């Protein structure tokens, strides 16, 4: 044996987990692996906690309290972002540079179409009523009496609606031109 090997056997190596290893003991133990193995860090923590030291538990508690308080403060904070302003898209079917006469002519044309649709709807309703009258007369039902009862009921409902409207507005509403 040479002198260096006898000297190494006489001087015991430290038993620390970090001191163990080859050429670069600390770097090899502390490197970050692609799998993020935490066994080395947990082992070091356990070695420090096993050592008899009077302040190990207070230091551990203080080490946990500070980040815990920070997490509590940030987790309990409520902050709501304002909703994004809606993007308004105007859809126009009319030319923006129409003259007053064109607008009036367009309104009159639309009113005529509306009145024509209303006349068609009234004609359909009247045709349906005639069909029901014919059916009622064929089965022996007094359709004139039924129509009178229906007219009375409609008049009563309209009067009640008018009374509610006048009560709600104080009698200041004129509905004579509604039909």
């Amino acid at each position: 044996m040479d002198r260096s090997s006898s000297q190494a056997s006489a001087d015991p190596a430290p038993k620390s987990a970090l001191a163990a290893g080859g050429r670069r003991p600390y770097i090899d133990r502390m490197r970050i692996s692609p799998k993020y193995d935490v066994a080395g860090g947990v082992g070091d923590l356990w070695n420090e906690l096993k050592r008899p030291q009077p302040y190990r538990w207070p230091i551990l508690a203080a080490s946990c309290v500070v980040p815990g308080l920070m997490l509590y403060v940030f987790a309990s904070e409520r902050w709501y972002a304002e909703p994004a302003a809606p993007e308004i898209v105007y859809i126009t079917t009319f030319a923006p540079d129409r003259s007053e006469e064109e607008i009036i002519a367009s309104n009159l044309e639309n009113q005529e179409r509306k009145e024509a649709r209303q006349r068609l709807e009234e004609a359909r309703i009247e045709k349906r009523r005639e069909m029901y009258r014919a059916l009622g007369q064929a089965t022996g039902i007094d359709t004139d009496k039924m129509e009178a009862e229906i007219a009375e009921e409609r008049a009563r409902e309209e009067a009640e609606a008018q009374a509610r409207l006048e009560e709600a507005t104080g009698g200041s509403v004129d509905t004579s031109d509604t039909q």
Side-chain angles (χ1 to χ4, degrees):
M1 279 186 163
D2 63 89
R3 193 174 143 193
S4 64
S5 63
S6 65
Q7 193 177 30
S9 62
D11 199 14
K15 298 293 184 185
S16 171
L18 291 177
R23 201 174 73 209
R24 303 178 310 172
Y26 295 107
I27 295 174
D28 288 341
R29 285 294 278 179
M30 296 173 60
R31 70 181 160 89
I32 297 175
S33 71
K35 296 180 183 177
Y36 300 105
D37 186 18
V38 295
V42 170
D44 288 344
L45 176 65
W46 185 247
N47 283 336
E48 289 300 316
L49 290 177
K50 281 193 323 185
R51 280 190 3 204
Q53 185 183 49
Y55 300 114
R56 66 179 168 196
W57 295 114
I59 289 174
L60 180 64
S63 300
C64 293
V65 165
V66 171
L69 283 175
M70 289 174 53
L71 286 174
Y72 175 75
V73 167
F74 289 127
S76 64
E77 180 179 341
R78 297 283 184 237
W79 186 79
Y80 299 103
E82 291 186 19
E87 183 178 325
I88 299 173
V89 178
Y90 294 99
I91 301 174
T92 58
T93 56
F94 301 111
D97 56 346
R98 293 188 305 161
S99 67
E100 193 72 26
E101 293 80 25
E102 291 174 327
I103 293 173
I104 292 172
S106 172
N107 288 348
L108 290 174
E109 182 182 324
N110 289 335
Q111 185 65 31
E112 288 173 7
R113 274 191 261 151
K114 177 185 169 191
E115 290 171 356
R117 282 193 306 265
Q118 184 68 27
R119 286 190 300 270
L120 282 173
E121 183 64 25
E122 289 172 0
R124 283 189 205 119
I125 291 172
E126 188 57 37
K127 184 176 181 182
R128 191 178 307 138
R129 284 184 186 148
E130 289 175 10
M131 289 171 47
Y132 281 120
R133 281 188 204 111
L135 178 65
Q137 289 172 353
T139 58
I141 297 175
D142 188 8
T143 57
D144 295 331
K145 181 181 172 188
M146 288 179 70
E147 285 182 16
E149 289 174 1
I150 291 171
E152 286 176 19
E153 186 176 335
R154 277 193 193 139
R156 188 172 47 250
E157 288 174 357
E158 288 176 6
E160 289 173 1
Q162 181 68 25
R164 282 194 306 268
L165 185 62
E166 287 178 2
E167 181 181 327
T169 59
S172 64
V173 177
D174 181 24
T175 59
S176 60
D177 63 337
T178 58
Q179 297 207 7

